[in-house]
Amino acid sequence: MSLIEALLSTAPDATAGWWQPSREAHRVIVERHGLPDRRQENWKYTALRPIEGHRYQAPEQGVLQPEDLAELLDANGVPQLTGSRITFVNGHYAPALSHVDDVAGLKVRALSQLGDAEAASASAELATEFSRPDEGFAALNTLLASDGVLLEFSGTTHADGQDMATAPVVELLFVDVPGATPAATAVRNIIKIGPGASLSLLERYVSAGEGVALINSLSQVELEAKSRLSHVRLPLLGEERSLISRLDVRLGEGSDYRCFGLDLSGTLVRHDLNVAMVGRDAQASLNGVYAPRGKTHIDNHVAVDHRVPDAVSSQAFKGVLSERSRGVFNGKVVVQEGADGTDASQSNANLLLSPDAEIDTKPELEIYADDVKCAHGTTVGALSGDQLFYLTARGIPEVEARRMLTTGFCREVLEGIPVESVRDHAISLLTDHLQDIQA
Amino acid sequence: MTQNILEIKDLHASVEGKQILKGLTLTVAPGEVAAIMGPNGAGKSTLANVLAGRPGYTVDSGSVSYLGQDLLALEADERACAGVFLAFQYPVEIPGVNNTYFLRAALNAQRRSRDEEELDSMAFLKLVRARLKALHITDDLLHRAVNEGFSGGEKKRNEVFQMAVLEPRLAILDETDSGLDIDALKIVADGVNELRSSERGFVVVTHYQRLLDHIVPDTVHVLMDGRIVKSGTSDLALRLEKEGYAWIQEELAA
Amino acid sequence: MATENQHIKELVKRRYEPGFFTDIESDTIAPGLSEDVVRFISEKKNEPGWMTEWRLKAFALWQNMPTPKWAHVHYPEIDFQAISYYSAPKSGAKYESWDEVDPKLIETYDKLGVPLHERARLAGVAVDAVFDSVSVGTTFRKELAEAGVIFCSMSEAIQDHPELVRKYLGSVVPQGDNFYAALNSAVFSDGSFVLIPKGVRCPMELSTYFRINELNTGQFERTLIIAEEDSHVSYLEGCTAPMRDENQLHAAVVELVALDRAQIKYSTVQNWYPGDEHGKGGIYNFVTKRGDCRGERSKISWTQVETGSAVTWKYPSCILRGDHSSGEFYSVALTHNFQQADTGTKMVHLGKNTRSHIISKGISAGRGQNAYRGLVQVNKKADNARNFTQCDSLLIGDRCGAHTFPYIEAKNATAQIEHEASTSKISDDQLFYCLQRGISEEDAVSMIVDGFCKEVFKELPMEFAVEAKKLLEVSLEGAVG
C-alpha cells in the first residue's frame, strides 16, 4: 500500500455538511497530484521515505484521562501555565482536558462543535484551495482533518507600548496516543486576531507512549490591523512520530507577528511557514531552532511574501546537527513589484557536530522592487576555536565548554519569546536536550 | 625560602612552524608583579598564550614550573583550575552565553577541582556583588552575553572582574592596556592593585610604560627576539619609555 | 523616486555597436536536426569514426531529455527543427596564410576590435577567431608552438591530436550531462583546443573570439583546455552577433582540466546581441562551462562579465577533486530592457582542504531579470573545505528584478561555509552627493556601478577590464539618470 493510499484510508466517514464540499474538491486534487516528491523544488531535500511503509489508521479517540494528561505533561517537563488550554487527543477535541479562561473577546471552539451558522466565519479558510503539485499535504489536510480549533480574539485594544508579555495566553495542545497500529491524524486550525488585539499562542505537540504516528497540521492565521500575536511552537515528539505542518499567516496593516519554533525530535518534521504581508507597516519576526539527533530529519521552509510597501520581516534560524541527523532550511523572501520600503532580513547559522550529520540550506531572495533593504547571511561550521579557548582558559572543562557554546549559539533565538514562563520553558527544553549531545 | 610561583627555563616555542620564543627564562615569586616589555613581534603575546595553553602554540623545548608542578603537562582548563588566569588582549564575544552564567560555571569548575563545594546562585551572586563593589564596577555587565557588544574598555574591565572572582595564584595580563583611554586604564589598574597580595604573582605584558605608572611593577624584563635580554626595576621601564629599545640592542651587540 | 524614474525614461537609447552583419557567402545547411544532420556535420569535418559515434550517442541521449525548466527565465519554446546546425564561410575554413582569408572576415574582426592581421595584432594575445560554426584562424601559432603549447581549433585537434581529444573530450562535461550539453555534443561545429604541457607557463594570453553572423543558425562551439602538471594559462573569450529580430541559439560547452598544481584562468566578456528595447530578438545563451581540478593544489578561476544575450543560462563550475585545490568564480551580470539572466556557479568540494570563493554582482535595469543561482556542496570526504560566497544585487529602476538562489549542501562537519547576500539600489543620496560635487548623473551612475563591480573587474586581464567597463557603460545607457 502506498503512502497516499494508506493516508486516504484514514478519511473520516461523515463530517459536518459545511465542510463536505471542500473535502470533496480536495479529494479530486489529491487524486490528481498525489504527494510531493524530491523532483519538486520545495521537496528537493526531503524524501518521504521515513514515513512510508506503514499501514496508517485513524487512531481511537477519548483515550486520555485528566490525570493521564497531568502525568504526561509532567514527564515532558511542561510547567503549569496560566491561561487557556484547548486539548486535542489523536486529532479530536477533548473537552475534559480543556478550559478557556473568561477573557473578554476570546472565542475558542473546536471545529467539530460548530453549527452551520458559526461555521460561516471559518468557511473561507476551509475552502482555500491547495492545488499546487507540491502542496499535497495541505490538500490532504482539508480532506482528512478530523478536528481543530477556531480561535477568534477581539480583545481590548492594547495600549501602545504595552508589552506583549502580558497578553492573554492560549495553549493549543495536541496529544497523540497511537495504539498498536501506526496512527495518522490531521488537524486544522483557524486563528483570527481582531483589530488592535494582542494574544500569546502556544502550540504544543506531546507524544504519549510508543508507536508510529504521522500528524498533519495546518493552521491559517489572520492578523487584522494593529493586532499582535506571539506564537511559540513546541513539538515534543516521540522518536517514531512525524509531523508535517503548514502555517499560513496573513498580516494586516501595522500588525506584529512573532513566531518561535523549537524542533528537537521526531522521525521526519517538515514545517512550511508562509507569511504574506498584506498590510503596510506590518512586522513579522520568524525564528526557529532545530537540534536533531539520531536519524531525525527536520525541514523548515519559510516563505515571506511582501506584497505591500513598508513591511518588515526577519528570519532567524539556527541549527545544531548531531549524530546522523539532517537539517534543511529553505528561507525565501519575495518582494513584489511596488512593495517599496520593504526591509527583509534572513539569517541561518548551522553547527555540524558529527561527521554523519548533514545540512542543506537555501536562503532565497526574489526581488521585484528597487527601494528595498534585503540581506541574508548563512553559515555552516564548527564551534569557534577562540571561544572554546576562552572558556577552557577560565577552567571550564572542554566538554562543558562545548555544551555551553552550543546552547548559547541557539538560545539567542529563543530569548525573544515574550512570555517569560514560555521562554524559560523553551530554553530549558533546549538546554536539557543538548546536555547529553556529544558536541 | 618560599616556593616560586612561576619558573620558566630556556623556553622555546613556535606558532605555525615559526619559532617565536627562543630560550626564555623568567621567575616570578609570590607577591611579585613582573612586567614584560618589548617591541612588537618580540614574543610577548606568545608567552602569555603559551602559559595559558592556547591550541596552536607549540612548546619545542624548555620547562615551565608553576608552584612546583609541570605547567606544560596540563590542559588549558586544568591550568585555569590550578590558578592560572589569562586576561586576554582580545576577549572574544560569545553571543547567547550569559556573562554571569559563564562565570559561575568557571568558578564552580575551579572549586570542584579543589574539592570545594560549588556555589549556588545565591552565594555566587553575593560574591559577585562584593567583587563588583570592590572594583567600583556597575552590575550591568552581569546581564549581558559574554563580551557581546562590549566596548574595548568594558571588555578589559570584564577581564579584571573575572580575575577578581576567580582569585588566581598567577595572573597574566596580555596587553591589558591596549585600546584603553586613561579613565578606563585607571579602573583596570585599580582593579589589579586591589588584587595584589603576597600570595599572588602577576605577569604584566605591555608595550607601553603608561600602564606601569598605575601598576608599579617589582621587576621589569625586556623581551626581544624571543628571549629576556635585560631585567631591572621600574626605573628600567621609565628609561625604555624615554629612549626606546635601540640602546638595549646596542648594548647587546657590544 | 519620481525624478529618478523620469530620468530613466529620458536617457538615450542604448546602441549595440557590434550589431552589423557581414555579407559573405556561406555554406549553410537547411534547418532541422536528425541523425543525418549529425552525420553530415561529422562528415563535412572529415572526422574519424569514433568521433561520429560519440556525436551520435549524444544525439540519442538528447532525444530523450526534457528541456530544463527550473531556471528563473521565461521564453517561448524553442523549435529545434527550425535551426540550422551548420554554417561556414564559403571560401573555406582553413587558410595557409592570413593573406588567403576573405578580407571581409578580417574586416569584420577589425571592426569588432580584434585585429587578426599580423601587423595589427593585439600584443601578447593569441586569438582563435570563430565565425559562425568554424574557426577562421588562430594567431601567434608559431610562437606558441615554440613553447610547446597547442592552441588550435577543435576541428584541427580532432585531426592532429586525436589521442588527446579522445582522452579528455567529455571527461568533464559528459554527453548526457544536461539538455544543452547533449545538443552541443551532437552538433558542435568548432571551438578552441588548448594544451599547456607540463611545467609551461603559457607565454601569452590565449583568446577566442566568437561571432554569430548567419540568420537562423545556432552556434555550438566546444572548447577544451588541458593544463598539465605545474602549467599555467590565462584564456579569454569574447562574443558578439548582429542585431536581428529573431532569437538565435548559442549552446556552447567549455571543459577545463587542471592537473597537479596547474592553474587555469578563464575570462569571458559576453556581449551577444541582447535584443532591442522591446525585448525583440537577441541570443539565447545556454552554456555549460565546467572545470575539473583533477590534480592536487590545482586552481581554476572563472571570471565573467555578462552584458549581452536575451536569455542567459550558465553556471561556470569547479569540481574540486584534488586535495588543496581551489576554485574561484567572479561574475558581473547585467540585464537591461527585457534581458534575463540565470547565472552562477557550482563548487563541488570532493578533495581535502579545498577552497572556493564566489563573488557575484548582479545589476538589473529596465525590465531586466537577474538571478544568481549557485551550489556549494561539501562532500563527506572533503575535510576542511572552506567556502566564502558573496552575492550582491544592484537594482536600477523599479520594474526590474534581482534574485538569489543559493544552494548549500554540507555533509562534512569540518566544513566552513559563509554566504552573504545583499540587495541595494543607487540611492538618491549617493546621486545627490555626486551631483553636488559637480559630477553628471550619468557619470555618477557609471561610477557607482563601476565601484559595485570593482572586485570582479580586478580579476580580468587589463585589456579586458577596460573593455568590460566600457561595455557596462554602453549597456547601461538609458537605464538611469
Side-chain angles (χ1 to χ4, degrees):
Chain A
M1 195 192 285
S2 71
L3 177 57
I4 185 87
E5 286 166 343
L7 292 177
L8 283 172
S9 76
T10 67
D13 302 332
T15 62
W18 45 263
W19 199 333
Q20 207 52 37
S22 139
R23 288 194 197 267
E24 288 312 319
H26 281 85
R27 180 181 293 280
V28 176
I29 292 172
V30 169
E31 278 165 3
R32 180 167 359 120
H33 292 312
L35 292 174
D37 62 36
R38 295 188 56 187
R39 278 170 300 183
Q40 269 131 5
E41 185 64 24
N42 275 335
W43 291 83
K44 183 179 166 72
Y45 294 116
T46 295
L48 296 181
R49 185 178 290 277
I51 56 171
E52 282 171 348
H54 299 295
R55 287 179 168 272
Y56 290 103
Q57 289 184 11
E60 279 178 66
Q61 45 177 300
V63 289
L64 206 65
Q65 301 307 314
E67 55 274 21
D68 300 336
L69 180 64
E71 200 179 303
L72 180 62
L73 293 181
D74 203 44
N76 277 280
V78 176
Q80 283 286 320
L81 289 174
T82 49
S84 307
R85 172 181 283 155
I86 316 299
T87 306
F88 294 84
V89 177
N90 284 340
H92 295 278
Y93 177 50
L97 308 176
S98 306
H99 76 275
V100 178
D101 286 350
D102 188 13
V103 174
L106 180 63
K107 266 174 37 183
V108 188
R109 282 145 309 158
L111 291 181
S112 59
Q113 315 286 304
L114 296 183
D116 286 354
E118 291 170 292
S121 59
S123 58
E125 281 78 6
L126 291 174
T128 309
E129 207 173 87
F130 301 106
S131 54
R132 277 204 333 256
D134 62 358
E135 45 188 10
F137 282 101
L140 259 186
N141 183 281
T142 304
L143 176 56
L144 303 182
S146 49
D147 209 338
V149 78
L150 170 62
L151 188 164
E152 292 166 287
F153 184 50
S154 59
T156 45
T157 306
H158 61 75
D160 259 350
Q162 181 198 330
D163 200 333
M164 227 194 239
T166 57
V169 179
V170 176
E171 176 180 353
L172 303 182
L173 176 62
F174 301 95
V175 185
D176 62 287
V177 196
T181 51
T185 57
V187 288
R188 178 68 159 265
N189 304 302
I190 297 161
I191 293 147
K192 298 181 173 193
I193 312 297
S198 285
L199 189 76
S200 188
L201 184 68
L202 176 59
E203 180 183 347
R204 194 200 307 273
Y205 299 80
V206 177
S207 300
E210 307 281 309
V212 173
L214 171 62
I215 305 160
N216 179 335
S217 160
L218 198 164
S219 301
Q220 288 156 294
V221 178
E222 173 102 40
L223 271 77
E224 292 196 58
K226 296 207 163 45
S227 65
R228 302 196 289 195
L229 178 65
S230 91
H231 187 175
V232 177
R233 311 177 81 200
L234 302 172
L236 310 176
L237 300 175
E239 211 178 311
E240 295 177 282
R241 310 299 214 277
S242 292
L243 172 64
I244 310 272
S245 98
R246 171 165 167 162
L247 177 55
D248 289 359
V249 187
R250 284 166 59 84
L251 269 73
E253 190 179 329
S255 62
D256 182 351
Y257 178 69
R258 301 179 206 174
C259 183
F260 301 85
L262 176 62
D263 287 290
L264 307 171
S265 55
T267 300
L268 172 71
V269 178
R270 159 80 178 215
H271 294 293
D272 275 282
L273 171 48
N274 304 311
V275 175
M277 313 299 262
V278 296
R280 279 174 179 254
D281 298 312
Q283 290 182 48
S285 161
L286 312 170
N287 311 277
V289 170
Y290 44 96
R293 54 187 303 184
K295 291 175 77 176
T296 298
H297 178 117
I298 294 172
D299 178 343
N300 276 291
H301 264 64
V302 184
V304 182
D305 188 2
H306 283 265
R307 301 183 192 168
V308 295
D310 301 323
V312 179
S313 71
S314 70
Q315 300 173 28
F317 282 76
K318 287 199 170 182
V320 173
L321 294 305
S322 53
E323 298 172 6
R324 305 180 63 81
S325 69
R326 187 157 174 205
V328 178
F329 174 76
N330 193 136
K332 182 174 196 159
V333 172
V334 180
V335 180
Q336 307 283 3
E337 204 173 314
D340 289 312
T342 290
D343 183 344
S345 67
Q346 200 182 43
S347 80
N348 174 231
N350 299 282
L351 281 179
L352 272 183
L353 299 183
S354 142
D356 297 314
E358 177 175 345
I359 175 73
D360 300 295
T361 165
K362 202 173 144 221
E364 304 174 88
L365 299 174
E366 237 180 273
I367 297 164
Y368 301 92
D370 68 335
D371 193 11
V372 299
K373 244 168 66 187
C374 290
H376 67 215
T378 302
T379 59
V380 178
L383 291 173
S384 140
D386 282 349
Q387 294 183 347
L388 209 51
F389 176 63
Y390 191 84
L391 266 59
T392 53
R394 292 289 177 260
I396 297 167
E398 189 176 323
V399 176
E400 198 182 330
R402 285 179 180 277
R403 197 176 295 140
M404 276 173 74
L405 289 175
T406 310
T407 313
F409 173 81
C410 301
R411 70 177 277 161
E412 243 192 331
V413 175
L414 301 175
E415 266 159 8
I417 297 176
V419 180
E420 193 185 354
S421 57
V422 178
R423 178 172 64 236
D424 291 348
H425 173 49
I427 290 174
S428 82
L429 283 173
L430 172 74
T431 311
D432 292 349
H433 177 78
L434 292 176
Q435 198 58 34
D436 52 337
I437 277 181
Q438 193 63 43
Chain B
M1 201 185 116
T2 50
Q3 191 177 36
N4 277 329
I5 295 211
L6 186 66
E7 279 175 27
I8 305 175
K9 286 199 182 117
D10 196 26
L11 185 64
H12 289 71
S14 50
V15 182
E16 286 173 4
K18 192 176 172 226
Q19 203 170 70
I20 309 285
L21 299 184
K22 302 168 183 170
L24 184 142
T25 297
L26 177 73
T27 303
V28 179
E32 179 179 340
V33 174
I36 310 287
M37 299 188 70
N40 281 331
K44 300 192 298 292
S45 281
T46 300
L47 172 63
N49 282 308
V50 164
L51 292 177
R54 188 175 200 125
Y57 289 76
T58 314
V59 173
D60 303 310
S61 63
S63 67
V64 178
S65 160
Y66 165 73
L67 294 172
Q69 60 177 323
D70 179 4
L71 186 68
L72 301 177
L74 303 179
E75 297 294 330
D77 57 323
E78 293 169 339
R79 295 182 199 197
C81 288
V84 177
F85 180 92
L86 171 66
F88 284 75
Q89 184 178 4
Y90 303 109
V92 67
E93 299 194 6
I94 312 180
V97 176
N98 174 275
N99 212 15
T100 312
Y101 171 71
F102 156 73
L103 193 51
R104 189 172 145 219
L107 180 64
N108 280 336
Q110 300 199 11
R111 292 179 70 97
R112 271 202 305 278
S113 79
R114 297 193 293 261
D115 289 325
E116 293 169 11
E117 213 171 308
E118 296 188 21
L119 292 187
D120 63 23
S121 47
M122 288 307 290
F124 176 73
L125 218 59
K126 217 172 130 190
L127 169 73
V128 158
R129 297 216 184 278
R131 292 292 182 269
L132 283 172
K133 206 168 161 205
L135 296 174
H136 308 288
I137 301 177
T138 53
D139 66 354
D140 61 324
L141 55 77
L142 295 180
H143 310 300
R144 295 158 69 179
V146 180
N147 294 321
E148 194 193 22
F150 283 27
S151 69
E154 284 176 324
K155 281 184 181 164
K156 297 296 168 75
R157 222 178 299 165
N158 193 23
E159 294 292 292
V160 174
F161 164 60
Q162 289 181 26
M163 177 165 51
V165 172
L166 296 173
E167 300 180 289
R169 290 295 304 279
L170 171 66
I172 305 153
L173 277 60
D174 186 7
E175 307 256 357
T176 295
D177 51 333
S178 68
L180 293 188
D181 61 31
I182 188 69
D183 293 336
L185 186 72
K186 273 181 87 169
I187 292 174
V188 168
D190 288 351
V192 171
N193 289 327
E194 187 73 27
L195 294 168
R196 284 175 87 148
S197 84
S198 59
E199 289 291 291
R200 191 168 286 146
F202 283 87
V203 174
V204 179
V205 172
T206 182
H207 186 62
Y208 300 105
Q209 142 74 19
R210 64 170 194 164
L211 179 67
L212 305 182
D213 287 340
H214 302 280
I215 305 172
V216 180
D218 300 303
T219 51
V220 173
H221 307 271
V222 179
L223 176 56
M224 282 174 97
D225 195 25
R227 284 179 304 139
I228 301 292
V229 295
K230 194 167 185 67
S231 300
T233 59
S234 53
D235 295 344
L236 177 56
L238 291 171
R239 184 166 175 202
L240 288 171
E241 172 77 0
K242 234 187 292 171
E243 301 176 29
Y245 293 94
W247 63 275
I248 299 185
Q249 238 143 6
E250 281 160 26
E251 230 180 65
L252 288 174
Chain C
M1 277 301 300
T3 53
E4 199 179 304
N5 285 340
Q6 195 53 34
H7 284 297
I8 294 167
K9 283 174 196 127
E10 279 170 11
L11 263 178
V12 273
K13 295 244 159 80
R14 74 188 280 189
R15 284 184 355 265
Y16 183 71
E17 288 184 24
F20 61 89
F21 166 71
T22 308
D23 185 11
I24 191 160
E25 250 190 292
S26 287
D27 246 346
T28 304
I29 60 162
L33 184 53
S34 64
E35 221 181 275
D36 286 345
V37 171
V38 176
R39 283 183 197 282
F40 169 86
I41 295 169
S42 190
E43 207 169 292
K44 190 91 186 164
K45 304 181 84 61
N46 200 19
E47 287 176 355
W50 58 265
M51 194 64 239
T52 315
E53 288 310 310
W54 195 87
R55 287 175 180 277
L56 289 170
K57 186 185 158 202
F59 181 69
L61 288 165
W62 177 78
Q63 280 186 302
N64 291 313
M65 292 169 103
T67 49
K69 295 254 197 283
W70 42 262
H72 196 83
V73 290
H74 304 279
Y75 53 90
E77 197 117 334
I78 297 171
D79 180 0
F80 290 95
Q81 296 304 332
I83 296 171
S84 166
Y85 290 86
Y86 187 79
S87 174
K90 205 161 208 164
S91 44
K94 277 201 89 178
Y95 308 95
E96 288 305 311
S97 112
W98 286 99
D99 297 332
E100 293 171 30
V101 178
D102 190 321
K104 275 188 189 161
L105 279 177
I106 303 257
E107 198 185 306
T108 301
Y109 284 91
D110 271 346
K111 261 167 97 174
L112 294 170
V114 189
L116 300 174
H117 229 281
E118 268 164 80
R119 45 194 153 69
R121 275 176 200 169
L122 296 170
V125 183
V127 180
D128 182 22
V130 177
F131 193 83
D132 284 340
S133 297
V134 297
S135 167
V136 295
T138 312
T139 62
F140 289 109
R141 302 185 71 142
K142 212 174 105 244
E143 292 82 347
L144 289 169
E146 277 165 14
V149 172
I150 304 173
F151 180 38
C152 61
S153 71
M154 187 58 92
S155 314
E156 287 171 274
I158 291 168
Q159 304 300 330
D160 300 345
H161 309 285
E163 70 300 337
L164 287 173
V165 175
R166 278 189 91 159
K167 183 172 174 191
Y168 288 107
L169 188 74
S171 74
V172 185
V173 180
Q175 290 124 300
D177 188 78
N178 68 67
F179 183 83
Y180 293 106
L183 178 63
N184 173 286
S185 302
V187 303
F188 76 84
S189 39
D190 216 333
S192 304
F193 177 88
V194 176
L195 181 116
I196 314 292
K198 237 181 228 187
V200 171
R201 197 178 172 93
C202 188
M204 60 186 79
E205 306 268 352
L206 302 183
S207 104
T208 302
Y209 201 94
F210 295 104
R211 174 75 179 167
I212 294 180
N213 193 56
E214 275 307 306
L215 180 69
N216 290 335
T217 57
Q219 179 149 329
F220 307 93
E221 81 275 358
R222 182 123 195 157
T223 299
L224 175 57
I225 299 176
I226 303 141
E228 290 189 345
E229 291 85 348
D230 300 290
S231 69
H232 184 287
V233 63
S234 169
Y235 185 91
L236 320 170
E237 172 196 71
C239 25
T240 54
M243 286 160 61
R244 296 187 189 287
D245 287 347
E246 294 76 24
N247 294 109
Q248 277 179 287
L249 177 64
H250 172 248
V253 172
V254 175
E255 297 179 275
L256 311 182
V257 179
L259 302 182
D260 289 353
R261 296 168 302 278
Q263 292 191 18
I264 303 176
K265 184 171 174 61
Y266 194 106
S267 314
T268 304
V269 173
Q270 186 265 106
N271 186 27
W272 294 119
Y273 179 53
D276 69 9
E277 67 271 31
H278 306 295
K280 208 168 166 77
I283 302 289
Y284 292 158
N285 191 32
F286 301 154
V287 173
T288 305
K289 290 183 169 176
R290 195 174 301 153
D292 189 351
C293 283
R294 218 164 271 185
E296 56 163 57
R297 293 182 199 279
S298 57
K299 177 175 174 183
I300 288 177
S301 175
W302 297 100
T303 306
Q304 60 173 26
V305 176
E306 303 277 320
T307 59
S309 300
V311 180
T312 296
W313 178 99
K314 95 182 239 210
Y315 315 92
S317 304
C318 296
I319 312 295
L320 303 170
R321 204 182 300 279
D323 290 349
H324 298 276
S325 63
S326 63
E328 294 174 342
F329 175 75
Y330 299 95
S331 169
V332 166
L334 179 143
T335 52
H336 187 202
N337 294 327
F338 286 83
Q339 280 178 277
Q340 307 173 61
D342 193 300
T343 183
T345 184
K346 293 186 204 175
M347 293 291 175
V348 179
H349 292 256
L350 296 171
K352 299 193 195 319
N353 302 305
T354 46
R355 302 273 182 275
S356 62
H357 196 81
I358 300 170
I359 305 284
S360 162
K361 304 280 178 178
I363 302 156
S364 313
R367 289 171 163 257
Q369 297 294 327
N370 206 324
Y372 167 81
R373 186 182 302 277
L375 168 70
V376 173
Q377 186 182 66
V378 176
N379 288 281
K380 217 160 172 86
K381 290 184 176 153
D383 291 347
N384 301 315
R386 299 282 177 272
N387 162 267
F388 176 77
T389 302
Q390 186 177 334
C391 47
D392 298 320
S393 307
L394 186 69
L395 292 128
I396 304 177
D398 56 3
R399 309 195 71 175
C400 51
H403 319 299
T404 316
F405 306 107
Y407 296 66
I408 299 161
E409 303 175 5
K411 297 181 173 71
N412 186 305
T414 59
Q416 267 187 34
I417 303 170
E418 261 182 84
H419 171 101
E420 286 169 16
S422 76
T423 302
S424 55
K425 66 168 203 157
I426 296 183
S427 76
D428 295 346
D429 288 349
Q430 287 170 322
L431 278 180
F432 178 70
Y433 190 84
C434 295
L435 289 174
Q436 208 287 319
R437 295 286 181 271
I439 299 159
S440 79
E441 211 150 43
E442 222 174 307
D443 287 350
V445 168
S446 57
M447 225 162 71
I448 292 166
V449 169
D450 188 43
F452 178 73
C453 302
K454 191 153 253 130
E455 277 171 281
V456 175
F457 285 165
K458 74 173 172 35
E459 295 299 321
L460 284 171
M462 184 82 121
E463 316 80 55
F464 257 40
V466 176
E467 191 188 332
K469 256 169 97 162
K470 275 203 306 211
L471 203 54
L472 219 58
E473 266 168 46
V474 174
S475 305
L476 270 174
E477 267 176 27
V480 186

